[in-house]
Amino acid sequence: MDDTAKENAEFPAAAGILLGLGLGGFFDGIVLHQVLQWHHMLSSAGFPPDSLENLRLNTFFDGLFHMGTYVFVVLGLIVLWRRGRRRPLLWSAKLMAGTFLIGFGGFNLIEGTVNHQILGLHHVNETVSRDQWVYWDTGFLLWGALMLIAGWVLYRSGKRDLSR
């Protein structure tokens, strides 16, 4: 395959990153908000889930959050479908997994920085004593950074494999 054909068949990294962003958000919302119930969207912003009214408000904003992550997944699928429909793609498990990890890690870094650190809307684990929140928030950011780095390494490795 010549270089032009390879370039035209290149895996759409944006699709994988969008899917990773959405999956990262779904993990956060489903596992941390709903299953473990460690926090809700506004639980540290003056609306702790200690009353039915506050729980309803938090549940509503959790739902808006899920709608946003759903949009990322839909956009990722649209990009993937459109690119794959126009021309054959050079698929690779490393490229797909790498871009998913970049998106998932990016989600953790952005959401953790904005919602946990800057706005203080909620913290990762609000079921522990307040003085421990910083450790959970820091772990969330480190987890995101590690996923992002691992994703970048996998993605670059997949690109090298395909260039051979």
Side-chain angles (χ1 to χ4, degrees):
M1 183 180 286
D2 65 38
D3 288 339
T4 305
K6 278 186 183 179
E7 190 174 297
N8 287 336
E10 187 172 313
F11 175 78
I17 292 170
L18 285 166
L19 288 166
L21 282 166
L23 294 173
F26 283 146
F27 178 86
D28 183 289
I30 293 166
V31 176
L32 302 182
H33 293 216
Q34 295 173 337
V35 175
L36 297 174
Q37 298 180 27
W38 283 0
H39 67 264
H40 293 282
M41 281 307 295
L42 304 177
S43 53
S44 286
F47 303 99
D50 57 2
S51 70
L52 186 54
E53 183 180 330
N54 282 355
L55 185 56
R56 283 185 176 150
L57 181 68
N58 272 293
T59 302
F60 174 74
F61 279 93
D62 286 351
L64 292 178
F65 171 76
H66 274 107
M67 285 173 52
T69 60
Y70 189 84
V71 168
F72 285 131
V73 170
V74 168
L75 290 174
L77 290 172
I78 289 169
V79 170
L80 188 59
W81 180 74
R82 288 182 61 144
R83 282 290 305 278
R85 202 170 152 216
R86 282 189 278 184
R87 62 183 66 91
L89 295 176
L90 292 175
W91 288 88
S92 160
K94 286 181 181 178
L95 292 175
M96 186 65 119
T99 56
F100 274 23
L101 285 171
I102 289 169
F104 199 129
F107 167 84
N108 278 19
L109 290 172
I110 294 165
E111 197 269 340
T113 301
V114 173
N115 289 338
H116 306 166
Q117 305 301 317
I118 296 171
L119 300 177
L121 296 178
H122 61 264
H123 298 275
V124 173
N125 187 351
E126 295 176 357
T127 66
V128 299
S129 64
R130 192 177 194 92
D131 62 325
Q132 294 179 8
W133 290 3
V134 66
Y135 302 116
W136 288 92
D137 290 350
T138 302
F140 189 79
L141 292 171
L142 289 173
W143 178 35
L146 288 174
M147 282 193 291
L148 192 114
I149 291 166
W152 181 252
V153 169
L154 263 177
Y155 178 74
R156 297 299 300 161
S157 174
K159 296 266 293 182
R160 277 192 305 275
D161 290 352
L162 289 178
S163 68
R164 292 179 194 154

